[in-house]
PDB file of all heavy atoms in Angstrom:
ATOM      1  N   ALA A   1      72.996 125.169  24.469  1.00  0.00           N
ATOM      2  CA  ALA A   1      72.439 124.059  25.239  1.00  0.00           C
ATOM      3  C   ALA A   1      72.143 122.859  24.343  1.00  0.00           C
ATOM      4  O   ALA A   1      72.399 121.705  24.721  1.00  0.00           O
ATOM      5  CB  ALA A   1      71.179 124.515  25.958  1.00  0.00           C
ATOM      6  N   LEU A   2      71.606 123.116  23.160  1.00  0.00           N
ATOM      7  CA  LEU A   2      71.324 122.025  22.225  1.00  0.00           C
ATOM      8  C   LEU A   2      72.584 121.252  21.865  1.00  0.00           C
ATOM      9  O   LEU A   2      72.564 120.023  21.741  1.00  0.00           O
ATOM     10  CB  LEU A   2      70.681 122.587  20.957  1.00  0.00           C
ATOM     11  CG  LEU A   2      69.214 122.974  21.038  1.00  0.00           C
ATOM     12  CD1 LEU A   2      68.818 123.732  19.777  1.00  0.00           C
ATOM     13  CD2 LEU A   2      68.341 121.743  21.213  1.00  0.00           C
ATOM     14  N   GLN A   3      73.664 121.959  21.692  1.00  0.00           N
ATOM     15  CA  GLN A   3      74.921 121.310  21.326  1.00  0.00           C
ATOM     16  C   GLN A   3      75.409 120.383  22.432  1.00  0.00           C
ATOM     17  O   GLN A   3      76.006 119.336  22.159  1.00  0.00           O
ATOM     18  CB  GLN A   3      75.971 122.376  21.024  1.00  0.00           C
ATOM     19  CG  GLN A   3      77.265 121.822  20.457  1.00  0.00           C
ATOM     20  CD  GLN A   3      78.229 122.918  20.037  1.00  0.00           C
ATOM     21  OE1 GLN A   3      78.062 124.084  20.386  1.00  0.00           O
ATOM     22  NE2 GLN A   3      79.243 122.561  19.278  1.00  0.00           N
ATOM     23  N   GLN A   4      75.144 120.743  23.675  1.00  0.00           N
ATOM     24  CA  GLN A   4      75.611 119.942  24.805  1.00  0.00           C
ATOM     25  C   GLN A   4      74.692 118.769  25.137  1.00  0.00           C
ATOM     26  O   GLN A   4      75.124 117.789  25.745  1.00  0.00           O
ATOM     27  CB  GLN A   4      75.705 120.824  26.055  1.00  0.00           C
ATOM     28  CG  GLN A   4      76.666 121.981  25.963  1.00  0.00           C
ATOM     29  CD  GLN A   4      76.449 122.971  27.087  1.00  0.00           C
ATOM     30  OE1 GLN A   4      76.478 122.610  28.269  1.00  0.00           O
ATOM     31  NE2 GLN A   4      76.206 124.219  26.741  1.00  0.00           N
ATOM     32  N   LEU A   5      73.411 118.876  24.795  1.00  0.00           N
ATOM     33  CA  LEU A   5      72.407 117.929  25.277  1.00  0.00           C
ATOM     34  C   LEU A   5      72.753 116.454  25.039  1.00  0.00           C
ATOM     35  O   LEU A   5      72.573 115.633  25.948  1.00  0.00           O
ATOM     36  CB  LEU A   5      71.037 118.257  24.675  1.00  0.00           C
ATOM     37  CG  LEU A   5      69.858 117.424  25.200  1.00  0.00           C
ATOM     38  CD1 LEU A   5      69.692 117.601  26.699  1.00  0.00           C
ATOM     39  CD2 LEU A   5      68.572 117.805  24.466  1.00  0.00           C
ATOM     40  N   PRO A   6      73.230 116.049  23.857  1.00  0.00           N
ATOM     41  CA  PRO A   6      73.528 114.621  23.669  1.00  0.00           C
ATOM     42  C   PRO A   6      74.512 114.058  24.692  1.00  0.00           C
ATOM     43  O   PRO A   6      74.407 112.883  25.069  1.00  0.00           O
ATOM     44  CB  PRO A   6      74.108 114.579  22.240  1.00  0.00           C
ATOM     45  CG  PRO A   6      73.514 115.761  21.561  1.00  0.00           C
ATOM     46  CD  PRO A   6      73.434 116.830  22.611  1.00  0.00           C
ATOM     47  N   ASN A   7      75.443 114.866  25.147  1.00  0.00           N
ATOM     48  CA  ASN A   7      76.419 114.393  26.122  1.00  0.00           C
ATOM     49  C   ASN A   7      75.812 114.178  27.497  1.00  0.00           C
ATOM     50  O   ASN A   7      76.441 113.554  28.367  1.00  0.00           O
ATOM     51  CB  ASN A   7      77.571 115.401  26.236  1.00  0.00           C
ATOM     52  CG  ASN A   7      78.376 115.511  24.955  1.00  0.00           C
ATOM     53  OD1 ASN A   7      78.480 114.548  24.197  1.00  0.00           O
ATOM     54  ND2 ASN A   7      78.928 116.682  24.698  1.00  0.00           N
ATOM     55  N   TRP A   8      74.606 114.695  27.719  1.00  0.00           N
ATOM     56  CA  TRP A   8      73.917 114.564  29.000  1.00  0.00           C
ATOM     57  C   TRP A   8      72.808 113.509  28.951  1.00  0.00           C
ATOM     58  O   TRP A   8      72.005 113.409  29.863  1.00  0.00           O
ATOM     59  CB  TRP A   8      73.330 115.908  29.410  1.00  0.00           C
ATOM     60  CG  TRP A   8      74.366 116.925  29.793  1.00  0.00           C
ATOM     61  CD1 TRP A   8      75.131 117.684  28.948  1.00  0.00           C
ATOM     62  CD2 TRP A   8      74.770 117.292  31.113  1.00  0.00           C
ATOM     63  NE1 TRP A   8      75.971 118.500  29.653  1.00  0.00           N
ATOM     64  CE2 TRP A   8      75.764 118.289  30.992  1.00  0.00           C
ATOM     65  CE3 TRP A   8      74.376 116.895  32.387  1.00  0.00           C
ATOM     66  CZ2 TRP A   8      76.379 118.875  32.093  1.00  0.00           C
ATOM     67  CZ3 TRP A   8      74.974 117.480  33.496  1.00  0.00           C
ATOM     68  CH2 TRP A   8      75.956 118.455  33.334  1.00  0.00           C
ATOM     69  N   GLN A   9      72.778 112.710  27.867  1.00  0.00           N
ATOM     70  CA  GLN A   9      71.749 111.693  27.718  1.00  0.00           C
ATOM     71  C   GLN A   9      72.368 110.317  27.458  1.00  0.00           C
ATOM     72  O   GLN A   9      72.186 109.726  26.392  1.00  0.00           O
ATOM     73  CB  GLN A   9      70.807 112.056  26.570  1.00  0.00           C
ATOM     74  CG  GLN A   9      69.973 113.301  26.817  1.00  0.00           C
ATOM     75  CD  GLN A   9      68.975 113.547  25.701  1.00  0.00           C
ATOM     76  OE1 GLN A   9      69.286 114.194  24.710  1.00  0.00           O
ATOM     77  NE2 GLN A   9      67.772 113.017  25.857  1.00  0.00           N
ATOM     78  N   PRO A  10      73.096 109.758  28.415  1.00  0.00           N
ATOM     79  CA  PRO A  10      73.741 108.461  28.190  1.00  0.00           C
ATOM     80  C   PRO A  10      72.758 107.314  28.002  1.00  0.00           C
ATOM     81  O   PRO A  10      73.021 106.393  27.227  1.00  0.00           O
ATOM     82  CB  PRO A  10      74.574 108.266  29.461  1.00  0.00           C
ATOM     83  CG  PRO A  10      73.910 109.112  30.503  1.00  0.00           C
ATOM     84  CD  PRO A  10      73.393 110.305  29.751  1.00  0.00           C
ATOM     85  N   LEU A  11      71.602 107.366  28.684  1.00  0.00           N
ATOM     86  CA  LEU A  11      70.635 106.282  28.537  1.00  0.00           C
ATOM     87  C   LEU A  11      69.968 106.326  27.164  1.00  0.00           C
ATOM     88  O   LEU A  11      69.718 105.289  26.548  1.00  0.00           O
ATOM     89  CB  LEU A  11      69.578 106.364  29.644  1.00  0.00           C
ATOM     90  CG  LEU A  11      68.664 105.149  29.786  1.00  0.00           C
ATOM     91  CD1 LEU A  11      69.469 103.868  29.986  1.00  0.00           C
ATOM     92  CD2 LEU A  11      67.682 105.352  30.935  1.00  0.00           C
ATOM     93  N   ARG A  12      69.718 107.507  26.666  1.00  0.00           N
ATOM     94  CA  ARG A  12      69.167 107.622  25.320  1.00  0.00           C
ATOM     95  C   ARG A  12      70.182 107.143  24.285  1.00  0.00           C
ATOM     96  O   ARG A  12      69.815 106.482  23.304  1.00  0.00           O
ATOM     97  CB  ARG A  12      68.772 109.065  25.015  1.00  0.00           C
ATOM     98  CG  ARG A  12      68.149 109.233  23.641  1.00  0.00           C
ATOM     99  CD  ARG A  12      67.846 110.689  23.335  1.00  0.00           C
ATOM    100  NE  ARG A  12      67.176 110.842  22.052  1.00  0.00           N
ATOM    101  CZ  ARG A  12      67.774 110.832  20.875  1.00  0.00           C
ATOM    102  NH1 ARG A  12      69.095 110.682  20.810  1.00  0.00           N
ATOM    103  NH2 ARG A  12      67.091 110.956  19.761  1.00  0.00           N
ATOM    104  N   ALA A  13      71.455 107.465  24.498  1.00  0.00           N
ATOM    105  CA  ALA A  13      72.487 107.030  23.563  1.00  0.00           C
ATOM    106  C   ALA A  13      72.546 105.512  23.479  1.00  0.00           C
ATOM    107  O   ALA A  13      72.792 104.938  22.415  1.00  0.00           O
ATOM    108  CB  ALA A  13      73.844 107.595  23.981  1.00  0.00           C
ATOM    109  N   ALA A  14      72.298 104.851  24.626  1.00  0.00           N
ATOM    110  CA  ALA A  14      72.393 103.392  24.658  1.00  0.00           C
ATOM    111  C   ALA A  14      71.126 102.710  24.166  1.00  0.00           C
ATOM    112  O   ALA A  14      71.191 101.647  23.544  1.00  0.00           O
ATOM    113  CB  ALA A  14      72.702 102.931  26.084  1.00  0.00           C
ATOM    114  N   THR A  15      69.960 103.305  24.430  1.00  0.00           N
ATOM    115  CA  THR A  15      68.697 102.623  24.152  1.00  0.00           C
ATOM    116  C   THR A  15      67.848 103.295  23.085  1.00  0.00           C
ATOM    117  O   THR A  15      67.004 102.640  22.460  1.00  0.00           O
ATOM    118  CB  THR A  15      67.844 102.542  25.427  1.00  0.00           C
ATOM    119  OG1 THR A  15      67.422 103.872  25.805  1.00  0.00           O
ATOM    120  CG2 THR A  15      68.637 101.920  26.575  1.00  0.00           C
ATOM    121  N   GLY A  16      68.017 104.594  22.886  1.00  0.00           N
ATOM    122  CA  GLY A  16      67.174 105.333  21.949  1.00  0.00           C
ATOM    123  C   GLY A  16      65.743 105.498  22.414  1.00  0.00           C
ATOM    124  O   GLY A  16      64.880 105.898  21.630  1.00  0.00           O
ATOM    125  N   ALA A  17      65.471 105.230  23.701  1.00  0.00           N
ATOM    126  CA  ALA A  17      64.078 105.173  24.160  1.00  0.00           C
ATOM    127  C   ALA A  17      63.745 106.145  25.271  1.00  0.00           C
ATOM    128  O   ALA A  17      62.658 106.058  25.834  1.00  0.00           O
ATOM    129  CB  ALA A  17      63.756 103.749  24.632  1.00  0.00           C
ATOM    130  N   CYS A  18      64.639 107.061  25.591  1.00  0.00           N
ATOM    131  CA  CYS A  18      64.412 107.912  26.752  1.00  0.00           C
ATOM    132  C   CYS A  18      64.399 109.388  26.379  1.00  0.00           C
ATOM    133  O   CYS A  18      65.096 109.827  25.470  1.00  0.00           O
ATOM    134  CB  CYS A  18      65.492 107.683  27.808  1.00  0.00           C
ATOM    135  SG  CYS A  18      65.344 106.092  28.613  1.00  0.00           S
ATOM    136  N   HIS A  19      63.597 110.127  27.123  1.00  0.00           N
ATOM    137  CA  HIS A  19      63.581 111.581  27.015  1.00  0.00           C
ATOM    138  C   HIS A  19      64.551 112.171  28.035  1.00  0.00           C
ATOM    139  O   HIS A  19      64.859 111.549  29.059  1.00  0.00           O
ATOM    140  CB  HIS A  19      62.184 112.125  27.285  1.00  0.00           C
ATOM    141  CG  HIS A  19      61.242 111.927  26.143  1.00  0.00           C
ATOM    142  ND1 HIS A  19      61.432 112.518  24.918  1.00  0.00           N
ATOM    143  CD2 HIS A  19      60.092 111.198  26.045  1.00  0.00           C
ATOM    144  CE1 HIS A  19      60.436 112.166  24.107  1.00  0.00           C
ATOM    145  NE2 HIS A  19      59.626 111.368  24.761  1.00  0.00           N
ATOM    146  N   GLY A  20      64.996 113.380  27.742  1.00  0.00           N
ATOM    147  CA  GLY A  20      65.865 114.090  28.661  1.00  0.00           C
ATOM    148  C   GLY A  20      65.291 115.454  28.991  1.00  0.00           C
ATOM    149  O   GLY A  20      64.566 116.051  28.187  1.00  0.00           O
ATOM    150  N   ALA A  21      65.602 115.940  30.187  1.00  0.00           N
ATOM    151  CA  ALA A  21      65.254 117.298  30.594  1.00  0.00           C
ATOM    152  C   ALA A  21      66.482 117.874  31.276  1.00  0.00           C
ATOM    153  O   ALA A  21      67.080 117.227  32.142  1.00  0.00           O
ATOM    154  CB  ALA A  21      64.056 117.299  31.538  1.00  0.00           C
ATOM    155  N   ALA A  22      66.872 119.076  30.875  1.00  0.00           N
ATOM    156  CA  ALA A  22      68.097 119.684  31.398  1.00  0.00           C
ATOM    157  C   ALA A  22      67.805 121.099  31.880  1.00  0.00           C
ATOM    158  O   ALA A  22      67.050 121.842  31.245  1.00  0.00           O
ATOM    159  CB  ALA A  22      69.174 119.720  30.317  1.00  0.00           C
ATOM    160  N   TRP A  23      68.421 121.464  33.009  1.00  0.00           N
ATOM    161  CA  TRP A  23      68.352 122.841  33.480  1.00  0.00           C
ATOM    162  C   TRP A  23      69.602 123.561  32.982  1.00  0.00           C
ATOM    163  O   TRP A  23      70.718 123.080  33.163  1.00  0.00           O
ATOM    164  CB  TRP A  23      68.251 122.929  34.992  1.00  0.00           C
ATOM    165  CG  TRP A  23      68.278 124.361  35.466  1.00  0.00           C
ATOM    166  CD1 TRP A  23      69.247 124.989  36.173  1.00  0.00           C
ATOM    167  CD2 TRP A  23      67.271 125.346  35.210  1.00  0.00           C
ATOM    168  NE1 TRP A  23      68.925 126.303  36.382  1.00  0.00           N
ATOM    169  CE2 TRP A  23      67.711 126.558  35.796  1.00  0.00           C
ATOM    170  CE3 TRP A  23      66.046 125.334  34.534  1.00  0.00           C
ATOM    171  CZ2 TRP A  23      66.971 127.734  35.737  1.00  0.00           C
ATOM    172  CZ3 TRP A  23      65.309 126.503  34.477  1.00  0.00           C
ATOM    173  CH2 TRP A  23      65.765 127.682  35.072  1.00  0.00           C
ATOM    174  N   CYS A  24      69.377 124.698  32.329  1.00  0.00           N
ATOM    175  CA  CYS A  24      70.457 125.427  31.675  1.00  0.00           C
ATOM    176  C   CYS A  24      70.576 126.828  32.267  1.00  0.00           C
ATOM    177  O   CYS A  24      69.569 127.474  32.590  1.00  0.00           O
ATOM    178  CB  CYS A  24      70.181 125.546  30.179  1.00  0.00           C
ATOM    179  SG  CYS A  24      69.717 123.981  29.385  1.00  0.00           S
ATOM    180  N   SER A  25      71.799 127.291  32.382  1.00  0.00           N
ATOM    181  CA  SER A  25      72.035 128.648  32.858  1.00  0.00           C
ATOM    182  C   SER A  25      71.611 129.646  31.789  1.00  0.00           C
ATOM    183  O   SER A  25      71.298 129.276  30.648  1.00  0.00           O
ATOM    184  CB  SER A  25      73.509 128.843  33.192  1.00  0.00           C
ATOM    185  OG  SER A  25      74.301 128.769  32.016  1.00  0.00           O
ATOM    186  N   ALA A  26      71.611 130.923  32.145  1.00  0.00           N
ATOM    187  CA  ALA A  26      71.168 131.954  31.211  1.00  0.00           C
ATOM    188  C   ALA A  26      72.012 131.997  29.945  1.00  0.00           C
ATOM    189  O   ALA A  26      71.534 132.422  28.887  1.00  0.00           O
ATOM    190  CB  ALA A  26      71.188 133.318  31.901  1.00  0.00           C
ATOM    191  N   ASP A  27      73.263 131.548  30.023  1.00  0.00           N
ATOM    192  CA  ASP A  27      74.118 131.552  28.829  1.00  0.00           C
ATOM    193  C   ASP A  27      74.126 130.201  28.106  1.00  0.00           C
ATOM    194  O   ASP A  27      74.911 129.996  27.186  1.00  0.00           O
ATOM    195  CB  ASP A  27      75.537 131.979  29.180  1.00  0.00           C
ATOM    196  CG  ASP A  27      76.203 131.054  30.190  1.00  0.00           C
ATOM    197  OD1 ASP A  27      75.554 130.074  30.619  1.00  0.00           O
ATOM    198  OD2 ASP A  27      77.357 131.321  30.567  1.00  0.00           O
ATOM    199  N   GLY A  28      73.256 129.278  28.533  1.00  0.00           N
ATOM    200  CA  GLY A  28      73.107 128.018  27.815  1.00  0.00           C
ATOM    201  C   GLY A  28      73.982 126.885  28.291  1.00  0.00           C
ATOM    202  O   GLY A  28      74.076 125.853  27.632  1.00  0.00           O
ATOM    203  N   GLU A  29      74.602 127.030  29.452  1.00  0.00           N
ATOM    204  CA  GLU A  29      75.415 125.944  30.006  1.00  0.00           C
ATOM    205  C   GLU A  29      74.504 124.978  30.760  1.00  0.00           C
ATOM    206  O   GLU A  29      73.767 125.368  31.658  1.00  0.00           O
ATOM    207  CB  GLU A  29      76.464 126.513  30.964  1.00  0.00           C
ATOM    208  CG  GLU A  29      77.477 125.500  31.452  1.00  0.00           C
ATOM    209  CD  GLU A  29      78.478 125.083  30.388  1.00  0.00           C
ATOM    210  OE1 GLU A  29      78.659 125.857  29.419  1.00  0.00           O
ATOM    211  OE2 GLU A  29      79.064 124.001  30.530  1.00  0.00           O
ATOM    212  N   ILE A  30      74.538 123.698  30.380  1.00  0.00           N
ATOM    213  CA  ILE A  30      73.730 122.700  31.090  1.00  0.00           C
ATOM    214  C   ILE A  30      74.355 122.433  32.451  1.00  0.00           C
ATOM    215  O   ILE A  30      75.535 122.110  32.549  1.00  0.00           O
ATOM    216  CB  ILE A  30      73.597 121.406  30.277  1.00  0.00           C
ATOM    217  CG1 ILE A  30      72.775 121.654  29.007  1.00  0.00           C
ATOM    218  CG2 ILE A  30      72.937 120.308  31.116  1.00  0.00           C
ATOM    219  CD1 ILE A  30      72.565 120.422  28.148  1.00  0.00           C
ATOM    220  N   ILE A  31      73.540 122.539  33.496  1.00  0.00           N
ATOM    221  CA  ILE A  31      74.015 122.365  34.861  1.00  0.00           C
ATOM    222  C   ILE A  31      73.672 120.981  35.399  1.00  0.00           C
ATOM    223  O   ILE A  31      74.482 120.337  36.052  1.00  0.00           O
ATOM    224  CB  ILE A  31      73.416 123.456  35.766  1.00  0.00           C
ATOM    225  CG1 ILE A  31      73.822 124.842  35.265  1.00  0.00           C
ATOM    226  CG2 ILE A  31      73.859 123.264  37.217  1.00  0.00           C
ATOM    227  CD1 ILE A  31      73.128 125.977  35.985  1.00  0.00           C
ATOM    228  N   VAL A  32      72.465 120.523  35.112  1.00  0.00           N
ATOM    229  CA  VAL A  32      72.040 119.205  35.579  1.00  0.00           C
ATOM    230  C   VAL A  32      70.977 118.694  34.613  1.00  0.00           C
ATOM    231  O   VAL A  32      70.246 119.474  34.004  1.00  0.00           O
ATOM    232  CB  VAL A  32      71.483 119.276  37.027  1.00  0.00           C
ATOM    233  CG1 VAL A  32      70.287 120.208  37.110  1.00  0.00           C
ATOM    234  CG2 VAL A  32      71.133 117.893  37.564  1.00  0.00           C
ATOM    235  N   SER A  33      70.911 117.375  34.444  1.00  0.00           N
ATOM    236  CA  SER A  33      69.896 116.792  33.568  1.00  0.00           C
ATOM    237  C   SER A  33      69.434 115.460  34.138  1.00  0.00           C
ATOM    238  O   SER A  33      70.120 114.855  34.973  1.00  0.00           O
ATOM    239  CB  SER A  33      70.435 116.585  32.150  1.00  0.00           C
ATOM    240  OG  SER A  33      71.344 115.498  32.113  1.00  0.00           O
ATOM    241  N   ARG A  34      68.291 115.014  33.684  1.00  0.00           N
ATOM    242  CA  ARG A  34      67.746 113.726  34.090  1.00  0.00           C
ATOM    243  C   ARG A  34      67.060 113.076  32.892  1.00  0.00           C
ATOM    244  O   ARG A  34      66.619 113.754  31.959  1.00  0.00           O
ATOM    245  CB  ARG A  34      66.756 113.875  35.242  1.00  0.00           C
ATOM    246  CG  ARG A  34      67.391 114.257  36.582  1.00  0.00           C
ATOM    247  CD  ARG A  34      68.263 113.131  37.098  1.00  0.00           C
ATOM    248  NE  ARG A  34      68.864 113.405  38.394  1.00  0.00           N
ATOM    249  CZ  ARG A  34      70.073 113.904  38.583  1.00  0.00           C
ATOM    250  NH1 ARG A  34      70.823 114.224  37.519  1.00  0.00           N
ATOM    251  NH2 ARG A  34      70.553 114.092  39.790  1.00  0.00           N
ATOM    252  N   GLU A  35      66.951 111.727  32.922  1.00  0.00           N
ATOM    253  CA  GLU A  35      66.355 110.971  31.820  1.00  0.00           C
ATOM    254  C   GLU A  35      65.267 110.041  32.330  1.00  0.00           C
ATOM    255  O   GLU A  35      65.291 109.593  33.477  1.00  0.00           O
ATOM    256  CB  GLU A  35      67.415 110.136  31.114  1.00  0.00           C
ATOM    257  CG  GLU A  35      68.474 110.912  30.366  1.00  0.00           C
ATOM    258  CD  GLU A  35      69.420 109.987  29.633  1.00  0.00           C
ATOM    259  OE1 GLU A  35      70.374 109.493  30.262  1.00  0.00           O
ATOM    260  OE2 GLU A  35      69.206 109.754  28.428  1.00  0.00           O
TER     261      GLU A  35
END
C-alpha cells in the first residue's frame, strides 16, 4: 500500500500541502483514496 500511495495523491504531488487517506484491501491494494 505504501508503494502505491503517491500515485493516489495528485493534489499533494502538485501542492505538497495535503494529507491523504486510502482504503486498502487485505493484500494491500488501494481501492479508493481521498485528499
Side-chain angles (χ1 to χ4, degrees):
L2 283 170
Q3 188 174 14
Q4 299 166 55
L5 186 60
N7 295 330
W8 290 79
Q9 294 185 272
L11 192 56
R12 182 184 183 280
T15 67
C18 289
H19 284 296
W23 176 248
C24 311
S25 66
D27 60 0
E29 188 72 22
I30 293 181
I31 300 172
V32 60
S33 73
R34 290 293 182 265
E35 293 184 276

